[in-house]
Every structure is written in structure tokens, then in C-alpha cells.
Amino acid sequence: MRICRFNANRLGIIQGDQVFDVTGALAVLPASSYPLPRHDLLIANLDQVRAHIEKIMPSAVPVPLQRVNLLSPVANPGKIIGAPVNYRKHLEEARSDAGIHHNNQVLEIQKIGLFLKANSSLVGAGEGIAIRHPQRRNDHEAELVVVIGKTGANIDRKDAWKHIAGYSSGLDMTTRGPEERSMRKSVDSFSVLGPCLVTVDEMADASSLDFSLTVNGEPRQKANTRDLIIGIAELIEFASSFYTLHPGDLIYTGTPEGVGPVVPGDRIVTEFQGIGRIDVAVRLAAS
Ligand code: MN
């Protein structure tokens, strides 16, 4: 299934260029009370939600995908994990460009480890990106995103696949500068996710997907996920050796070479094989 969220908290299934409204399936989610769980309620109950979607799908009303405002397919992840410099050519690019490394030492991911982005930075493609520091360089980073489906700690890479709910694509937006990554990458709207969650039964293997990114139609990034330095299963093993992974947690797996700046007025389009396309407008944040 290709599950999306759109407009005013509608739940949808994307088929071709249409979205079928299956918001009624949210009724199967258990009532939650304070304190809220650390997981995303929909992803933690994905099997029940999917069973209900199957029931109501025959009578679901389609709307053109182009006409909906896409929200993040995961509403409340417990955490957003990022993998820094996880493509070899991007490591070389980062080391050779002062505008990227900003006199920070660029270390291999095996040494530097993973980072976290604020959950409040998460948006869907239709919400757009708001630049807060237009005087600084703000870069796009197209990334495959893994959505965790099952709780686990110290997960062996052999078992990692059992912990994946599905895949999505995203933008790990970054203000370049000397601050810690977690600050520069946590600006509101700097974690874009979409267009949908592709569940694992629809995409068994995401380890060799072509993807690309353009800005105003100009090609910037083009790569394949087979070139990840630390692959999907190893990322899950690495992350879960430090913290428990919960349903709905997101792992932004890293970006390939070709990162570059965007400014208000730009349009970023990414295409991920098997996942789809997002078209994201960049604007100046309201002051
Ligand atoms: Mn990144």
C-alpha cells in the first residue's frame, strides 16, 4: 500500500495519479491518553488500519493527486534520525567544499555516528520549506527514508528487515555553518517526508533504487541507494545499539553528491523509484 496524509488530516491511498480517501480507517486507532506513547499511533497499529482500509477501499472516493496538499505520511514519529555523509562521493564533495564543511572536520559516518533532527521540523511536501536564515547557505539533501514498524533495541542487521514498516523519501534540509548538525537541520520545515509510506509488502528491497533531485528543473542530485556507505540493515543495527527504535521512527539514510543551495522562490522536485515524486516550494519564513 501507498499510504499518504493530505489536506486537513485526511488519510489516503495513492494509486497512479489518484488519492482514495480512506480517512474512516483512522477510527480503528485506540484512544490514547496522557502521557502519549513514544511511538506513532498509526504506524504502531498499521495492520489493523490496513485491514480497515481494505474494507472501505471499494467505496472510497478518488481525488487527483495533483490537487491535494500532501502532509507527512507519518504524523508523530518518536524521533527523526539522520545519517551524515553516507555516500562516498558526497564525503569527497563535503571535504573539498568549504561552503559545506565550514571548517568542521568531515569524518566518516562510522566514526561520527548518527544525529537527531527535531520532530518539530517535519512537514509534508505540500507544506513547503521556509528559510529562516536567507543570508546563509541552505542546502537540499535528497534521501531515502526508512520508517520503523516494530519496537527493538540492539537489533542484529540480519533481523533489521522485520523492523521496517516501509519506505518514503525525504529532504534533509540544512543550513550550512559552524553549529552542531542537530541545530542546523532542525529548522521548522527542514525535514520533508513524502509523498507516501510505501509498505514493505509493496517494496521488499529498497537497496537499489534510482533517485534524483532537481531545483527549478535543473538536475542537481542523481544516485542509487546501492551506493550507501552504511546500508539500511546496518543503519538499523547501528541506531538501535544506542537507542530503542519505535514504530514511526524515521531514519533519513543520507544524501549523495550534488547538494547545493536553494533560495526562496525555488521549487525542489525529487523522484524516487517505486516511491514517487514530491514537489516542494521554498519560501522565506514569516518573521
Ligand atoms: Mn542528510
Side-chain angles (χ1 to χ4, degrees):
M1 274 185 186
R2 311 166 67 79
I3 302 170
C4 71
R5 294 179 55 251
F6 65 99
N7 297 354
N9 196 31
R10 310 301 296 178
L11 189 71
I13 295 294
I14 298 180
Q15 285 185 359
D17 55 7
Q18 293 193 306
V19 182
F20 289 81
D21 191 322
V22 291
T23 306
L26 294 176
V28 305
L29 294 180
S32 53
S33 61
Y34 181 83
L36 296 175
R38 293 202 186 280
H39 58 241
D40 180 272
L41 211 55
L42 191 153
I43 305 297
N45 294 278
L46 193 55
D47 289 347
Q48 297 90 305
V49 172
R50 290 187 58 165
H52 199 81
I53 289 174
E54 302 277 9
K55 256 192 265 173
I56 63 177
M57 205 37 200
S59 57
V61 178
V63 277
L65 176 57
Q66 284 219 315
R67 256 193 258 149
V68 306
N69 193 44
L70 285 169
L71 308 175
S72 168
V74 181
N76 299 116
K79 52 189 168 294
I80 303 175
I81 300 159
V85 285
N86 199 17
Y87 284 81
R88 179 61 48 189
K89 285 183 188 159
H90 176 54
L91 176 63
E92 292 162 10
E93 160 186 79
R95 282 178 167 160
S96 64
D97 184 348
I100 297 177
H101 66 65
H102 232 268
N103 294 324
N104 295 330
Q105 203 182 359
V106 181
L107 294 173
E108 287 94 353
I109 182 169
Q110 293 90 341
K111 290 184 190 153
I112 201 170
L114 308 175
F115 62 91
L116 294 171
K117 295 174 64 115
N119 294 357
S120 50
S121 66
L122 185 65
V123 293
E127 293 168 273
I129 294 164
I131 303 286
R132 286 206 187 202
H133 303 98
Q135 73 285 11
R136 292 172 60 171
R137 178 170 158 177
N138 295 279
D139 280 12
H140 55 76
E141 298 191 352
E143 311 199 359
L144 173 71
V145 181
V146 177
V147 180
I148 296 296
K150 192 176 129 194
T151 299
N154 297 314
I155 300 164
D156 190 282
R157 64 187 67 181
K158 292 195 309 294
D159 303 319
W161 310 108
K162 299 176 200 157
H163 292 264
I164 301 173
Y167 300 96
S168 191
S169 69
L171 292 167
D172 170 23
M173 297 302 297
T174 305
T175 299
R176 300 294 175 196
E179 300 91 348
E180 294 281 354
R181 276 188 177 83
S182 68
M183 187 179 208
R184 293 183 287 104
K185 291 170 172 281
S186 288
V187 178
D188 293 354
S189 79
F190 268 31
S191 302
V192 182
L193 191 71
C196 57
L197 165 70
V198 181
T199 53
V200 280
D201 56 296
E202 191 133 335
M203 178 177 282
D205 184 9
S207 61
S208 62
L209 301 180
D210 284 323
F211 64 100
S212 63
L213 176 147
T214 63
V215 177
N216 306 328
E218 173 204 333
R220 292 270 187 96
Q221 296 187 279
K222 190 170 171 44
N224 187 288
T225 56
R226 76 169 73 89
D227 295 324
L228 283 165
I229 296 171
I230 299 190
I232 295 162
E234 293 81 1
L235 280 171
I236 289 172
E237 180 180 86
F238 194 18
S240 70
S241 72
F242 278 73
Y243 31 66
T244 300
L245 297 178
H246 299 284
D249 283 3
L250 304 175
I251 304 179
Y252 282 65
T253 58
T255 204
E257 71 279 10
V259 300
V262 290
V263 295
D266 283 348
R267 283 198 97 84
I268 305 174
V269 173
T270 71
E271 297 249 14
F272 274 73
Q273 185 185 355
I275 296 173
R277 176 181 198 271
I278 55 172
D279 183 338
V280 187
V282 182
R283 68 181 185 280
L284 190 62
S287 50

Tab-separated table of all heavy atoms in Angstrom, residues 83-84 115 141 143 172 174 185 254-255, ligand 1:
chain	number	residue	atom	x	y	z
A	83	ALA	N	21.591	10.234	8.965
A	83	ALA	CA	22.894	9.607	8.699
A	83	ALA	C	23.751	10.612	7.931
A	83	ALA	O	23.426	10.948	6.794
A	83	ALA	CB	22.705	8.330	7.892
A	84	PRO	N	24.819	11.125	8.550
A	84	PRO	CA	25.646	12.117	7.874
A	84	PRO	C	26.590	11.462	6.870
A	84	PRO	O	27.008	10.314	7.058
A	84	PRO	CB	26.443	12.747	9.017
A	84	PRO	CG	26.579	11.648	10.025
A	84	PRO	CD	25.339	10.801	9.903
A	115	PHE	N	22.858	11.367	13.864
A	115	PHE	CA	22.393	12.564	14.577
A	115	PHE	C	20.875	12.550	14.634
A	115	PHE	O	20.231	11.711	13.996
A	115	PHE	CB	22.926	13.839	13.900
A	115	PHE	CG	22.450	14.034	12.482
A	115	PHE	CD1	21.299	14.757	12.217
A	115	PHE	CD2	23.168	13.510	11.410
A	115	PHE	CE1	20.865	14.942	10.901
A	115	PHE	CE2	22.738	13.694	10.094
A	115	PHE	CZ	21.589	14.405	9.848
A	141	GLU	N	19.043	18.115	0.519
A	141	GLU	CA	19.648	16.778	0.575
A	141	GLU	C	18.528	15.768	0.345
A	141	GLU	O	17.687	15.561	1.219
A	141	GLU	CB	20.318	16.526	1.940
A	141	GLU	CG	21.465	17.486	2.238
A	141	GLU	CD	22.314	17.094	3.446
A	141	GLU	OE1	21.925	16.139	4.165
A	141	GLU	OE2	23.353	17.732	3.666
A	143	GLU	N	16.979	12.153	0.204
A	143	GLU	CA	17.347	10.937	0.937
A	143	GLU	C	16.218	9.903	0.940
A	143	GLU	O	15.044	10.254	1.057
A	143	GLU	CB	17.695	11.299	2.402
A	143	GLU	CG	18.662	12.467	2.467
A	143	GLU	CD	19.404	12.621	3.785
A	143	GLU	OE1	19.168	11.828	4.708
A	143	GLU	OE2	20.242	13.554	3.856
A	172	ASP	N	16.438	16.287	3.719
A	172	ASP	CA	17.096	16.658	4.973
A	172	ASP	C	17.711	18.033	4.718
A	172	ASP	O	18.865	18.134	4.312
A	172	ASP	CB	18.160	15.594	5.314
A	172	ASP	CG	19.061	16.013	6.462
A	172	ASP	OD1	18.649	16.859	7.269
A	172	ASP	OD2	20.189	15.470	6.547
A	174	THR	N	19.320	21.685	5.237
A	174	THR	CA	20.461	22.003	6.085
A	174	THR	C	20.882	23.454	5.908
A	174	THR	O	21.104	23.899	4.786
A	174	THR	CB	21.658	21.117	5.666
A	174	THR	OG1	21.265	19.745	5.711
A	174	THR	CG2	22.850	21.331	6.576
A	185	LYS	N	19.874	21.484	11.158
A	185	LYS	CA	18.959	20.656	10.377
A	185	LYS	C	17.577	20.534	11.026
A	185	LYS	O	16.754	19.754	10.571
A	185	LYS	CB	19.573	19.254	10.209
A	185	LYS	CG	20.804	19.238	9.291
A	185	LYS	CD	21.519	17.894	9.356
A	185	LYS	CE	22.628	17.768	8.326
A	185	LYS	NZ	22.130	17.444	6.971
A	254	GLY	N	20.761	9.400	4.405
A	254	GLY	CA	21.932	10.127	3.916
A	254	GLY	C	21.754	10.558	2.471
A	254	GLY	O	20.901	10.028	1.750
A	255	THR	N	22.553	11.540	2.078
A	255	THR	CA	22.386	12.114	0.738
A	255	THR	C	23.614	11.879	-0.119
A	255	THR	O	24.732	11.815	0.396
A	255	THR	CB	22.077	13.627	0.836
A	255	THR	OG1	21.392	14.055	-0.354
A	255	THR	CG2	23.344	14.470	0.995
B	1	MN	MN	21.476	14.380	5.230
